[in-house]
Amino acid sequence: MAALMLLPLARVSAAVDPNFYIFLCFGQSNMEGAARPEAQDLASPGPRFLLMPAVDFPEQGRKMGEWCEASAPLCRPNTGLTPADWFGRTLVASLPNNIKIGVIHVAIGGIDIKGFLPDSIPSYIKKAPNWMKGMLEAYNNNPYERLVTLAKKAQKDGVIKGILMHQGETNTGDPKWAGMVKQVYENLCGDLKLKPEEVNLYVGNIVQANGQGVCIGCKKQIDELPQTIHTCQVISSDDCTNAPDRLHFDADGYRELGCRYGEAVARQLGFEPKRPKMAVSKKIEVPADAFTAETTVPGNEFPKVDKERRAYFRINAPQANKIIVDICNKKYTMQPVGNGDFMAVTDPLPVGFHYYFMNIDGVNFVDPATETFFGCNRESGGIEIPEGPEGDYYRPQLGVPAGSVRIIFYYSKEQSKWRHAMVYTPAEYDLKKNIKKRYPVLYLQHGMGEGETSWSNQGHMQHIMDNAIASGEAVPMIVVMESGDIKAPMQRGQTMGDYGASFYPVLLNDLIPYIDQNFRTKTDRDNRAMAGLSWGGHQTFDIVFNNLDKFAWLGTFSGAIFGLDVKTAYNGVFTNADEFNKKIHYMYMNWGSDDFIKSGDLVRQLREMGIKVDANESAGTAHEFLTWRRGLHEFIPHLFK
């Protein structure tokens, strides 16, 4: 009888595979994964690396809580490459063939460490920003509980051997962070009956970007975490490459960091680490149909673009050890091809204009073969990937009279200094017959890290205006472009509300009076408009809605407008739709289908308030000048009519 009673227990015990090593992965966006997976990331390394999904993946046929072969994405559908991907691959390469690796992955971009503390989660959920709510809801508004619930289920199959964390950016400078991390770790050990000395905490460090990382202040906090948690190991992010935002790693950076996690765990388990195989670069052959890019400095053969929209770069640097091309959120290692030359070819690029940099042995520089464009807070290289005839609206056309883009210097009494702006005047402005004609004015702002030349150089604003005016789509108008005090990056201690706000009194009290005094303008609000891309869209909202006595038209293109409460913003300007719609003659918003800043939800809220707003999503474009060229082209035909 006793033997029969013990039989079920024996069966349960036998079901736990001691050679199935399970790891819990949690954190914020760099654990979630912010880089686009590439071909080598999408192929599964086989049945020895498994994922217990924390959510359903309908397109991949994955079910929450059911083991499946692991391949990117691991976190949730539509997330990116995470260090957990190459962590698992490294363990598969390093450990004996009879050992399987399993991961459970719960991460939320931007989440505070309080979001993983059971006592703090309810209050944290209430205060979470709108953009995070969908991610929280994916875990039933309790990411910690989801992690623990799945971990308990996984313990019926294997043995938890470690906990991987990448979090801290949101808690940069928080003196209580280390203690809260310890509390999360101890909660996990207690709830899952784990012995800390057998289940280490592995914590990856943040993006460093050569000391320029957005959250570089968090590095010291993470480095010192083992002083608070003696079973903690810090995974170095030294020399891990990063995305242009200096907040997230790029794909190579995630692979490198993931391998380092895996190597640390392999050593802890008593095995010699081995790196998994990665894709090997192929010989670069430039097809006969490749042509020199229009943004290339005359006299140079490269950069080139082929019919598949791949870009080819070449540079002579005989003493260089490693050269990288950084374009469209991806870095390409250039290959030596003889005579001191290095070459690289990109994946197919989206049409339109793109900034790019080269990096020799850790130093960023502008490719000497390209024209320069002010962007990314500095002079940058740029390349145009041409559209077909659909892009003729932003190209100069034979027979179309060309307007002028003038450089002006004006004195700002607000700042007691001279400032610089660009002013477009239509082709007819200088004709003698129009010497007394006056024109409406559009104040057009660029985005964060760009300058007063960006709309004309990168955006081809003058060609868009010339063509639209010549065809009768748009009325002749003057366009004014200023730096807006957002050429420099946001300074330490500066809030988002402060950034660029110093420009507001300059525009109102210095620039507008200067333009009205020195150009033949119509000076009433009905003949004054404002529009801006990205942060320039943020400035447009702030200026126009606080100064409706001066503006009657506005537009935003990928407008950086976050957390706006339409019921209270700008002294409740949206609450009286009838009055608003009388004052604002036309309001327009656009964004790209692949944009990381979208205005669709805001447009919906405004329309529900009765606000008339026109909107459009640019198909196939991201946060880039092709989105904004399209936006300007769609906006100007509605002005001053």
Side-chain angles (χ1 to χ4, degrees):
M1 183 70 174
L4 290 175
M5 290 177 66
L6 289 173
L7 184 58
L9 295 176
R11 284 178 177 169
V12 170
S13 177
V16 177
D17 182 354
N19 291 321
F20 185 16
Y21 293 178
I22 296 164
F23 298 86
L24 311 183
C25 307
F26 77 97
Q28 56 184 104
S29 57
N30 273 316
M31 180 58 79
E32 182 183 70
R36 182 179 299 175
E38 299 169 6
Q40 60 182 317
D41 310 309
L42 296 172
S44 166
R48 287 185 56 212
F49 181 29
L50 302 178
L51 169 71
M52 178 179 280
V55 299
D56 290 336
F57 287 68
E59 292 187 8
Q60 289 90 346
R62 298 175 180 177
K63 294 287 187 181
M64 182 178 68
E66 297 181 7
W67 292 110
C68 61
E69 289 191 7
S71 61
L74 299 184
C75 188
R76 299 185 306 279
N78 302 316
T79 54
L81 185 65
T82 160
D85 282 292
W86 286 80
F87 158 76
R89 292 170 188 267
T90 300
L91 287 188
V92 166
S94 303
L95 274 55
N97 290 337
N98 66 320
I99 294 178
K100 295 186 299 182
I101 307 301
V103 295
I104 301 171
H105 197 287
V106 174
I108 295 175
I111 195 168
D112 191 290
I113 193 63
K114 295 185 183 72
F116 291 98
L117 285 171
D119 292 341
S120 302
I121 288 172
S123 61
Y124 182 78
I125 298 295
K126 292 179 182 178
K127 299 178 181 178
N130 289 333
W131 53 264
M132 189 187 290
K133 290 181 178 178
M135 294 184 280
L136 288 165
E137 288 170 359
Y139 302 116
N140 198 28
N141 287 321
N142 197 325
Y144 178 83
E145 182 180 54
R146 179 66 55 86
L147 185 63
V148 169
T149 299
L150 295 180
K152 288 180 178 179
K153 183 176 182 180
Q155 284 179 306
K156 298 177 182 178
D157 303 316
V159 183
I160 295 176
K161 289 287 187 177
I163 300 171
L164 277 59
M165 183 183 94
H166 199 290
Q167 196 279 336
E169 293 93 336
T170 296
N171 293 89
T172 299
D174 186 346
K176 297 181 180 180
W177 177 75
M180 290 188 285
V181 173
K182 181 180 181 182
Q183 188 176 347
V184 174
Y185 176 57
E186 291 177 345
N187 287 344
L188 287 170
C189 290
D191 290 340
L192 298 172
K193 297 179 173 57
L194 305 174
K195 296 179 180 179
E197 59 271 19
E198 296 177 359
V199 182
N200 280 12
L201 176 67
Y202 302 89
V203 180
N205 224 313
I206 46 80
V207 165
Q208 297 186 46
N210 298 318
Q212 299 299 311
V214 171
C215 298
I216 193 67
C218 188
K219 182 179 184 301
K220 186 172 184 290
Q221 292 177 210
I222 296 174
D223 285 337
E224 294 176 351
L225 192 57
Q227 298 175 19
T228 302
I229 306 172
H230 74 279
T231 52
C232 168
Q233 290 190 42
V234 174
I235 309 303
S236 170
S237 62
D238 291 356
D239 301 319
C240 286
T241 52
N242 56 274
D245 63 5
R246 294 179 286 116
L247 179 62
H248 300 100
F249 298 97
D250 62 8
D252 286 339
Y254 282 117
R255 293 188 195 103
E256 177 62 29
L257 188 64
C259 288
R260 293 179 187 181
Y261 271 106
E263 289 167 342
V265 171
R267 292 189 189 97
Q268 184 69 23
L269 294 173
F271 299 99
E272 184 66 26
K274 296 179 183 178
R275 286 281 177 118
K277 292 182 179 179
M278 296 189 188
V280 179
S281 301
K282 298 179 181 179
K283 181 181 178 181
I284 297 174
E285 295 182 359
V286 182
D289 64 8
F291 55 90
T292 301
E294 65 181 73
T295 41
T296 302
V297 172
N300 291 276
E301 184 182 1
F302 291 86
K304 284 188 168 184
V305 181
D306 69 15
K307 67 178 182 181
E308 301 298 327
R309 306 195 312 276
R310 290 184 290 256
Y312 299 80
F313 300 94
R314 186 175 71 189
I315 191 170
N316 183 262
Q319 297 183 31
N321 295 309
K322 184 178 182 181
I323 307 180
I324 293 171
V325 175
D326 183 346
I327 184 170
C328 290
N329 298 322
K330 185 173 180 182
K331 294 179 173 66
Y332 300 86
T333 300
M334 301 188 77
Q335 300 180 33
V337 294
N339 299 319
D341 283 352
F342 289 76
M343 289 192 68
V345 58
T346 70
D347 295 333
L349 299 173
V351 293
F353 174 87
H354 307 291
Y355 298 112
Y356 77 94
F357 290 97
M358 288 186 173
N359 181 294
I360 292 184
D361 299 334
V363 179
N364 269 349
F365 69 99
V366 177
D367 179 2
T370 181
E371 299 283 3
T372 56
F373 306 84
F374 194 89
C376 309
N377 307 115
R378 55 172 291 184
E379 292 293 341
S380 308
I383 189 169
E384 184 80 24
I385 307 300
E387 281 192 288
E390 67 274 17
D392 284 348
Y393 69 91
Y394 58 79
R395 301 183 180 116
Q397 302 294 319
L398 289 173
V400 171
S404 300
V405 178
R406 311 167 188 231
I407 301 171
I408 66 163
F409 288 87
Y410 68 100
Y411 189 76
S412 168
K413 293 180 181 178
E414 289 286 341
Q415 296 184 344
S416 300
K417 67 179 183 180
W418 289 93
R419 294 179 64 101
H420 180 220
M422 312 296 288
V423 179
Y424 165 85
T425 54
E428 66 169 51
Y429 184 86
D430 292 316
L431 297 179
K432 289 184 179 180
K433 66 178 182 179
N434 295 323
I435 197 66
K436 294 184 178 181
K437 183 175 179 179
R438 294 189 172 274
Y439 295 84
V441 185
L442 166 63
Y443 288 85
L444 184 62
Q445 291 303 117
H446 57 83
M448 181 184 292
E450 293 168 336
E452 61 271 29
T453 61
S454 298
W455 263 112
S456 53
N457 288 355
Q458 292 97 288
H460 301 324
M461 172 281 309
Q462 64 275 33
H463 305 316
I464 296 173
M465 297 301 304
D466 289 342
N467 293 326
I469 291 170
S471 67
E473 292 180 79
V475 302
M477 67 186 78
I478 294 171
V479 183
V480 181
M481 295 152 283
E482 223 270 17
S483 72
D485 292 344
I486 57 174
K487 293 176 76 169
M490 190 177 294
Q491 302 301 303
R492 182 172 296 179
Q494 190 175 31
T495 67
M496 293 180 70
D498 295 334
Y499 186 62
S502 56
F503 173 61
Y504 301 170
V506 172
L507 173 71
L508 297 170
N509 301 326
D510 296 320
L511 182 56
I512 290 177
Y514 177 90
I515 296 298
D516 287 344
Q517 290 167 14
N518 291 275
F519 291 85
R520 301 194 309 275
T521 64
K522 295 180 179 180
T523 60
D524 59 309
R525 68 178 299 275
D526 289 330
N527 286 285
R528 190 178 296 126
M530 187 170 183
L533 68 87
S534 194
W535 202 258
H538 177 99
Q539 292 181 307
T540 297
F541 261 48
D542 281 358
I543 291 172
V544 172
F545 293 138
N546 283 313
N547 297 277
L548 287 173
D549 60 322
K550 293 180 174 63
F551 298 90
W553 320 75
L554 86 155
T556 67
F557 320 120
S558 304
I561 303 153
F562 308 119
L564 191 74
D565 185 341
V566 296
K567 295 181 180 178
T568 61
Y570 305 113
N571 296 316
V573 69
F574 304 118
T575 57
N576 189 331
D578 290 339
E579 182 179 347
F580 180 94
N581 293 331
K582 289 177 183 177
K583 288 185 176 180
I584 295 297
H585 302 328
Y586 184 71
M587 180 176 176
Y588 171 86
M589 304 178 77
N590 100 314
W591 59 92
S593 60
D594 301 326
D595 213 319
F596 69 86
I597 296 180
K598 295 177 182 282
S599 303
D601 187 55
L602 178 56
V603 169
R604 176 187 58 77
Q605 293 179 54
L606 289 171
R607 286 174 174 169
E608 288 175 353
M609 298 283 287
I611 301 299
K612 293 180 180 178
V613 53
D614 204 357
N616 190 35
E617 182 174 89
S618 171
T621 61
H623 204 69
E624 56 187 286
F625 263 100
L626 188 53
T627 299
W628 308 326
R629 291 172 186 171
R630 290 175 177 175
L632 180 63
H633 183 230
E634 292 167 358
F635 176 57
I636 56 175
H638 299 274
L639 297 181
F640 312 123
K641 293 181 177 179

